[in-house]
DNA sequence: TCTTGACTTAGAGCGCGCTCAAACTCGTAG
DNA sequence: CTACGAGTTTGAGCGCGCTCTAAGTCAAGA
């Protein structure tokens, strides 16, 4: 598989794939006779996992640590596991943090909802012909 | 309250407070006779809310939109609410994404746990004097 | 044979969100 | 009076993670 094909399948750009190889996140790819990279499809599994680490906010320097352990192969399982367990904890903490913020957002949005309700109630007390047209906004709101 | 005090109380650095003012995230602060910023403690509430937006991954350019609506005051509530509702959706999506990744991490970590268990089982089949010392690691693991 | 387009490399550039530096002004304590 | 520490401004610099450019190679199709 050439780099363009891998790019399509992985969702990365060819630029990014080369960049990842340069920094050591992807193993050095075998080249064909004209020095083009030729990939085994199994690389997709690794790229997908790297994507998970990235999605969960792991910095590249930590992914590199993991990639190095992986390259060293057997004997590094305990370290790899420990690294992932530490990361999992940080992701859980992040989820908790986001959920806490969601509660604050709910409250804030609820406050605006109340404001709107009070405005509707107020409008309803006005004589028919003085009510604001539906969808009306204040002049400054453009 | 001077900027140093506000920095302490808000958790931002004085540098960052000035930067936020420069870009419009914080309102222009009143200066005392010797042009030092003098803050009303109520600014802390706003800074804390900005912190929530930041924590939840809102880019500064969007916080600026919200800050501008806030500055314009009444008549912008519906827009502010809509902005926060859109943001809340993106945060919820992010939480879902993180939870999905957590499942993958669980599986991966579970795989390493199995490997370790198989190694322990294997060690247990060896004669007493040939067992690895507790905590032993393979030579390459340094 | 010629052209096209996908690839190669090394290295420069970019957008984000700060973070720091330089040169200066004040107000207060010793 | 002097020295210090905390503040002021403008603008440069930084770390991250890409993203793009330039100049070149190569293979396949018209």
């Amino acid at each position: 598989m050439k780099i363009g094909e891998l790019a399509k399948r992985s969702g990365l750009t060819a630029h990014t794939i080369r960049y990842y190889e340069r920094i050591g996140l992807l193993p050095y790819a075998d080249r064909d006779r004209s020095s083009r990279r030729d990939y085994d499809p199994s690389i997709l599994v690794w790229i997908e996992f790297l994507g998970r680490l990235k999605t969960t906010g792991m910095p590249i320097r930590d992914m590199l640590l993991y990639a190095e352990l992986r390259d060293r192969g057997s004997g590094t399982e305990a370290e790899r596991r420990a690294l992932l367990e530490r990361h999992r904890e940080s992701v859980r903490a992040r989820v908790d943090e986001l959920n806490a913020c969601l509660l604050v957002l709910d409250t804030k949005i609820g406050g605006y909802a109340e404001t709107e309700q009070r405005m509707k109630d107020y409008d309803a007390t006005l004589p028919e012909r003085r009510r604001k047209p539906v969808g009306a906004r204040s002049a400054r709101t453009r």
Side-chain angles (χ1 to χ4, degrees), chain A:
Chain A
M1 193 195 308
K2 285 180 293 172
I3 199 171
E5 178 69 10
L6 179 60
K8 239 171 263 167
R9 293 209 200 180
S10 66
L12 300 178
T13 67
H15 283 308
T16 302
I17 293 169
R18 289 191 207 101
Y19 165 68
Y20 279 1
E21 179 182 306
R22 249 194 301 192
I23 65 174
L25 215 42
L26 293 180
Y28 183 84
D30 293 336
R31 310 300 209 257
D32 65 15
R33 25 208 166 340
S34 56
S35 5
R36 273 95 198 268
R37 292 171 179 79
D38 191 15
Y39 291 96
D40 185 292
S42 66
I43 194 76
L44 280 164
V45 179
W46 173 235
I47 291 179
E48 200 203 320
F49 186 65
L50 285 178
R52 297 287 184 173
L53 297 182
K54 179 183 158 188
T55 294
T56 49
M58 184 184 282
I60 283 185
R61 95 187 73 90
D62 291 355
M63 294 191 217
L64 280 176
L65 275 176
Y66 187 81
E68 281 161 24
L69 291 171
R70 189 183 111 108
D71 287 351
R72 263 168 34 206
S74 67
T76 63
E77 290 84 357
E79 275 182 83
R80 278 185 265 169
R81 182 188 176 184
L83 194 156
L84 292 188
E85 282 178 341
R86 281 196 302 278
H87 181 58
R88 179 170 61 180
E89 267 322 292
S90 83
V91 177
R92 283 177 178 158
R94 179 92 183 109
V95 168
D96 290 348
E97 186 179 51
L98 290 181
N99 278 325
C101 287
L102 278 175
L103 293 181
V104 174
L105 279 176
D106 287 343
T107 304
K108 194 86 180 176
I109 290 167
Y112 286 128
E114 273 177 36
T115 302
E116 276 177 47
Q117 192 51 52
R118 274 197 304 276
M119 287 173 72
K120 279 182 196 153
D121 290 351
Y122 173 74
D123 281 2
T125 65
L126 298 173
E128 183 73 28
R129 58 187 173 66
R130 297 178 62 189
R131 287 183 198 167
K132 296 177 187 169
V134 171
R137 297 186 176 191
S138 97
R140 304 184 65 191
T141 306
R142 245 200 342 109

